Amino acid sequence: MFMLEIILKWTDNFIDFWSSGWNIFDFLVTIVSALPEILRIFVTSTKENDVFSQIPGYIRTFKILRSLKMIARFGSLKIIVMTILQAFQSMIFILVLLLSIAYIFAIMRSSSSKLITPS
């Protein structure tokens, strides 16, 4: 069903499909979630503990990303997610600032303990 959606979007306008980040995300999620079925067709293993027979099971966990495709459908949810992502970018700078302040205080503490404790 998701493959059909992508094909319909391609037939509508192929160039505009690739200009949207959400469409690229939808495409990647759909392809990754379809990989286990494709691998099951081409990879046949006689042993159950064979590495190649376990790969489709691991990739199947990426199907949970399909629920993130709802974000692209609802405009208000898309705005909320984009705002949270922008807030995380600002939080990284705050984290760097706090870590540098903690580092400065750690240096001051170690320097002051050398003065107090006789060696």
Side-chain angles (χ1 to χ4, degrees):
M1 180 157 154
F2 296 112
M3 294 293 255
L4 180 64
E5 176 189 3
I6 289 175
I7 291 170
L8 287 174
K9 285 183 179 181
W10 279 358
T11 57
D12 180 41
N13 195 344
F14 187 76
I15 302 298
D16 285 343
F17 178 83
W18 294 108
S19 64
S20 171
W22 288 105
N23 286 337
I24 294 171
F25 175 74
D26 286 345
F27 177 77
L28 291 175
V29 168
T30 304
I31 294 300
V32 168
S33 61
L35 276 178
E37 284 75 22
I38 294 169
L39 286 175
R40 189 177 303 133
I41 292 170
F42 291 112
V43 177
T44 55
S45 176
T46 55
K47 297 180 183 178
E48 290 216 10
N49 58 0
D50 187 21
V51 174
F52 292 113
S53 65
Q54 295 175 357
I55 291 174
Y58 294 132
I59 296 176
R60 202 172 294 127
T61 59
F62 285 105
K63 285 186 178 182
I64 193 74
L65 293 175
R66 285 185 181 172
S67 62
L68 294 177
K69 290 176 74 171
M70 284 188 340
I71 295 171
R73 305 286 184 268
F74 302 109
S76 59
L77 190 58
K78 192 175 184 179
I79 292 171
I80 292 170
V81 169
M82 295 305 286
T83 305
I84 290 172
L85 290 177
Q86 289 174 352
F88 280 134
Q89 290 173 352
S90 300
M91 284 184 199
I92 290 173
F93 293 121
I94 294 170
L95 178 68
V96 168
L97 179 65
L98 289 174
L99 287 176
S100 61
I101 290 171
Y103 181 69
I104 290 170
F105 279 112
I107 291 173
M108 289 172 52
R109 172 68 175 119
S110 66
S111 298
S112 67
S113 67
K114 289 179 184 175
L115 295 175
I116 297 172
T117 310
S119 8

